[in-house]
Amino acid sequence: MMILNASEVEWEEFSGASPLHFLDQSDPPLTPEAPPLSVWGVALCVSGTVIAAENAVVVTIILANPSLRAPVFLLLASLGLADLLAGVALILHFLFLFCVEPSDWSELLISGLLVTSLTASLCSLMGVALDRYLSLSYALTYGSGQSRRCAAVLLGLVWVGACIIGAGPALGWHCLDDPTSCSIARPLTRTYLSLLCGGFLVVVVVTLHLYAGICRVARRHAHAIATQRHFLPQHQSYASKHSGGRGFSRLAVILGVFVGCWMPFSLYGLLGDASSPPLYTYATLVPAAGSSLLNPLLYSLRNRDIRKVLVHSCCPHRPSQQAYQPTDV
């Protein structure tokens, strides 16, 4: 039974109807309609499709070529798989939002998939930085079979941990039953997202520390080589003349994109709450998801071996050039 407001009661008395309106049990129940398709929705679907497609190409190239089994390629395959899952999550979000009636289980599925993919992607980026540091510090021994086994075990632990963390919302760590505990990203609780973003910040700091070590080792090696070739005097710093070299410029771009994509959401997840404007959440989450779009361009497709395999797959009759090792910082 539903009691109408005062204006509706006066209208009902004037019309001769009873002020108490009983719901007709034969009326069909009202079902929520899907929101109208918007430009943002189309952009979401298109970006998810592009992310999934380009990362699927990277993963296929690495897994289909037995020669690409060095630790760096295992890490790039893990990074591509994580970003591929992020693209699939964006596509599923579009489908559940505009094509299928959303439900609690769909929200938990998408949020868990996004958390898993973003966690694995960020940890894989840290692994890429660790690989570059070790390859410079231990150039003679790194890349052996033992190193590949260690990299495979490390990636296995990363993915097991990412899946466990991503399963948190589905296992009950959500705010669907208690909206007051929601964070800036529903259905994740504030406690859950705070721990997640705190872990993200730790990984970001460790990755930046590794890249700082890469710069120190690269400059020391470059100065030693230049000194041996009598290219510079002993007292003159090689880095002072070549600090703007192409290798360090690429490294600066990688670090800028890395920090710009991950730092905003990590900080806002710690400081914001459910009362914060949703626009701020999208403004910080979009760069984190956009890193999945840039990672193949900054890491995988910059690798000369991967590019050579890709070009040979697209143009099999093109004469191959002499193989050479990648020299990117």
Side-chain angles (χ1 to χ4, degrees):
M1 186 171 62
M2 179 178 66
I3 301 179
L4 306 178
N5 58 38
S7 61
E8 291 173 332
V9 170
E10 293 177 359
W11 184 87
E12 292 288 347
E13 289 178 349
F14 179 80
S15 61
S18 172
L20 300 180
H21 175 68
F22 293 87
L23 292 178
D24 188 357
Q25 300 296 331
S26 62
D27 293 341
L30 297 177
T31 57
E33 296 181 357
L37 190 62
S38 63
V39 176
W40 293 108
V42 175
L44 183 71
C45 183
V46 171
S47 60
T49 303
V50 174
I51 291 172
E54 64 178 355
N55 285 284
V57 170
V58 171
V59 174
T60 302
I61 289 175
I62 295 176
L63 296 183
N65 289 271
S67 60
L68 303 180
R69 291 297 179 267
V72 61
F73 298 117
L74 297 179
L75 292 166
L76 292 178
S78 174
L79 178 62
L81 179 59
D83 294 335
L84 172 62
L85 293 179
V88 172
L90 293 179
I91 296 174
L92 291 178
H93 178 68
F94 171 83
L95 294 178
F96 284 120
L97 184 62
F98 295 103
C99 301
V100 183
E101 180 181 347
S103 59
D104 291 345
W105 71 267
S106 64
E107 290 188 34
L108 296 176
L109 173 64
I110 295 173
S111 61
L113 191 58
L114 276 176
V115 169
T116 301
S117 61
L118 294 180
T119 303
S121 178
L122 188 56
C123 292
S124 298
L125 288 175
M126 183 179 64
V128 171
L130 179 62
D131 170 81
R132 291 178 173 179
Y133 177 77
L134 294 177
S135 63
L136 285 176
S137 301
Y138 307 97
L140 297 179
T141 59
Y142 188 71
S144 61
Q146 184 68 24
S147 300
R148 288 192 293 269
R149 287 190 292 270
C150 291
V153 172
L154 178 62
L155 289 178
L157 295 177
V158 165
W159 276 98
V160 170
C163 292
I164 293 175
I165 295 173
L171 296 178
W173 206 348
H174 57 77
C175 64
L176 294 178
D177 300 328
D178 184 16
T180 59
S181 65
C182 282
S183 64
I184 60 171
R186 187 180 183 273
L188 306 182
T189 64
R190 179 168 173 78
T191 303
Y192 177 86
L193 187 62
S194 297
L195 293 176
L196 186 66
C197 291
F200 283 176
L201 284 177
V202 172
V203 175
V204 169
V205 171
V206 172
T207 304
L208 293 179
H209 181 71
L210 288 172
Y211 275 115
I214 290 173
C215 291
R216 290 192 298 267
V217 174
R219 289 173 185 238
R220 186 167 61 248
H221 287 182
H223 180 69
I225 293 174
T227 302
Q228 291 176 0
R229 294 180 177 177
H230 303 285
F231 184 71
L232 290 175
Q234 290 282 351
H235 63 277
Q236 187 175 3
S237 174
Y238 178 82
S240 63
K241 292 187 64 177
H242 294 272
S243 59
R246 186 174 62 177
F248 291 104
S249 298
R250 290 177 176 178
L251 184 58
V253 172
I254 290 175
L255 290 179
V257 172
F258 176 75
V259 174
C261 287
W262 286 102
M263 193 64 75
F265 180 74
S266 299
L267 292 177
Y268 186 61
L270 291 173
L271 302 177
D273 53 27
S275 61
S276 304
L279 179 62
Y280 296 166
T281 302
Y282 285 107
T284 55
L285 186 58
V286 166
S291 64
S292 299
L293 182 66
L294 299 176
N295 286 339
L297 304 177
L298 293 176
Y299 295 93
S300 299
L301 297 181
R302 282 185 59 242
N303 186 281
R304 293 170 178 172
D305 293 329
I306 294 180
R307 286 206 310 267
K308 183 173 63 176
V309 174
L310 180 61
V311 170
H312 179 72
S313 301
C314 298
C315 305
H317 301 291
R318 180 178 178 178
S320 59
Q321 298 178 354
Q322 185 178 359
Y324 47 89
Q325 296 296 328
T327 57
D328 297 335
V329 175

